Amino acid sequence: GAPDYGNKAIIDGPLVVASELYTCELEITANGSLTVQSTGLTGIIGKITNNATAIDFVVENNGVLIQRDDLQNEGPVTVKRNSAELFRQDYTLWSSPVGGQNLRAFSPQTLYNRFSSYDTTIGSNGGYVQEIFTTNDMNTKLFGLAKGYLIRKPNNWVTWDNVNGNPAQSYEGIFAGTITNGDVNVALSGANTKLNLVGNPYPSPISIANLFAANSNIEKTLYFW
């Protein structure tokens, strides 16, 4: 029968989700592929198993993938997220919706010293700190879970030109790894301004009301980049 919350979905060929797909469990075989388009929503109660590769399971920009149960997923997925339209020396704040994404590989043409995180304890107001220093950092440093990063546009990106009017361009952020699922706990710092740079660790939106209800100790104000 058709997949729904009472039936497992086994994808054994190419499937594109342009609207909605609901299933109790999702498995992609070695011969299958799944693309959740920007207008698509895939809701899953249980586990996700991808026996194919990361390029065979893609969530496009603004596509939504939601799980209910706190289960460990298997296999890789590719999640795409687009930045605002910006120029070469502009920055974007990013957070990974998957586990295992290399930080430098996410934007390999960005200067290595233009990857930063935020440290609330610096000075009297907090400040950004460089994340990559060595070749080993480039090869091994991964996005932290629910951690926010300030990353400059690639060094070969379009530059602002008030004469020729070069248009700004959006950067397609491509994350490849295992889908984050279940509760994610983030230790927050109360130093100085008490501002913490955190990010959404899931390939789906988060309910602000539920976030506040589950974290009564945080102030009810969020600032978005």
Side-chain angles (χ1 to χ4, degrees):
D4 55 34
Y5 281 143
N7 290 301
K8 176 180 178 179
I10 300 177
I11 313 299
D12 197 36
L15 177 65
V16 176
V17 178
S19 55
E20 297 177 352
L21 170 68
Y22 300 104
T23 179
C24 71
E25 191 173 330
L26 177 67
E27 179 180 350
I28 300 173
T29 71
N31 300 316
S33 67
L34 175 64
T35 300
V36 182
Q37 292 188 334
S38 60
T39 55
L41 182 152
T42 297
I44 305 161
I45 292 178
K47 182 179 179 181
I48 296 174
T49 303
N50 181 20
N51 296 300
T53 67
I55 62 174
D56 295 310
F57 187 179
V58 177
V59 181
E60 297 287 356
N61 180 60
N62 289 334
V64 175
L65 182 68
I66 298 178
Q67 283 178 269
R68 190 192 71 179
D69 293 348
D70 187 356
L71 298 171
Q72 184 66 38
N73 297 311
E74 293 184 18
V77 63
T78 298
V79 180
K80 299 179 181 180
R81 293 291 183 257
N82 294 341
S83 77
E85 295 178 347
L86 299 170
F87 294 106
R88 186 179 71 186
Q89 306 234 4
D90 292 330
Y91 287 80
T92 299
L93 289 174
W94 296 95
S95 181
S96 179
V98 302
Q101 172 62 52
N102 180 278
L103 188 60
R104 181 68 192 284
F106 175 75
S107 186
Q109 296 302 317
T110 294
L111 297 176
Y112 76 93
N113 60 343
R114 293 295 183 250
F115 294 78
S116 302
S117 59
Y118 190 78
D119 187 343
T120 307
T121 66
I122 292 178
S124 58
N125 294 305
Y128 286 97
V129 293
Q130 185 176 326
E131 280 285 328
I132 297 175
F133 293 91
T134 66
T135 301
N136 185 63
D137 289 340
M138 295 182 192
N139 295 332
T140 63
K141 184 156 284 193
L142 306 178
F143 275 84
L145 187 62
K147 185 174 181 178
Y149 296 86
L150 184 71
I151 303 176
R152 201 170 82 173
K153 285 291 174 285
N155 213 39
N156 58 356
W157 208 245
V158 60
T159 57
W160 181 77
D161 187 337
N162 64 344
V163 176
N164 299 313
N166 291 337
Q169 295 180 9
S170 172
Y171 183 80
E172 183 183 56
I174 299 178
F175 301 89
T178 305
I179 296 172
T180 306
N181 188 33
D183 290 340
V184 174
N185 296 311
V186 179
L188 299 180
S189 170
N192 295 323
T193 60
K194 303 180 181 180
L195 296 177
N196 288 260
L197 179 54
V198 298
N200 182 358
Y202 308 108
S204 66
I206 289 179
S207 166
I208 297 300
N210 290 346
L211 180 68
F212 285 154
N215 297 275
S216 58
N217 59 321
I218 64 174
E219 296 179 10
K220 302 302 186 287
T221 302
L222 301 177
Y223 298 89
F224 295 93
W225 182 264

